[in-house]
Amino acid sequence: MFRQPKRGPKGAGGGMSPDVLRRAQELQAQIAQAQGELKEATVEASAGGGALTVEMTGAHKLKAVRVDPEILDPDDPEMVQDLIIAAVNDAVDKLAAKQADRMAGFTDGLSLPGLT
C-alpha cells in the first residue's frame, strides 16, 4: 500500500508563511544588489606619505598604481616594493571595511553562520 508523505500544518512550504518567504526573497534581492554595487566600487590607498597610490575595485582587482618618480631609486628597489605591498594591503582592508559596513544592515540582529 502506498502512503503519501505527511506534511506539516502549513503544507509544502516548510511551515514558512508567505509573508516571511516574500521578505526573505526581498532581502535576497537587496543583498544581491548590494554585492553588485560593492563589486563596482573602488577604493584608493597610499603609502610613503602619498608617494605611491593604488586604486582597487570591489572585485579586488588592482586598477591603477601611481608612483612619484622621486621615490624611484635604482639602488633601492625594495623600498618601492614595500610601498606597493603596504598600499595594496591597505586597499584590501578598506574594501573589507566598506563591504562590512554595507552588509551590516542585512545581518543586524541575526546570528547566521557565514553572514556575520
Side-chain angles (χ1 to χ4, degrees):
M1 173 188 254
F2 177 74
R3 289 186 173 187
Q4 290 275 339
K6 290 188 178 185
R7 296 183 182 190
K10 302 234 181 202
M16 204 178 284
S17 75
D19 190 48
V20 171
L21 185 58
R22 178 189 53 76
R23 180 65 184 124
Q25 290 170 334
E26 288 173 359
L27 184 60
Q28 184 179 18
Q30 291 170 356
I31 290 171
Q33 180 181 355
Q35 288 172 330
E37 291 168 1
L38 285 167
K39 208 173 205 179
E40 297 299 317
T42 60
V43 295
E44 193 171 281
S46 64
L52 188 137
T53 304
V54 298
E55 188 175 346
M56 184 176 283
T57 71
H60 292 90
K61 301 291 181 192
L62 198 55
K63 188 174 177 180
V65 176
R66 290 180 290 284
V67 180
D68 182 343
E70 291 185 20
I71 67 165
L72 297 175
D73 181 355
D75 295 327
D76 192 10
E78 291 84 14
M79 181 193 61
V80 175
Q81 293 168 1
D82 290 343
L83 292 175
I84 292 170
I85 291 169
V88 169
N89 285 337
D90 188 30
V92 169
D93 291 344
K94 285 181 178 183
L95 280 174
K98 182 177 263 198
Q99 290 168 339
D101 284 349
R102 181 66 172 96
M103 300 308 271
F106 300 116
T107 59
D108 282 347
L110 298 177
S111 59
L112 302 173
L115 291 180
T116 55

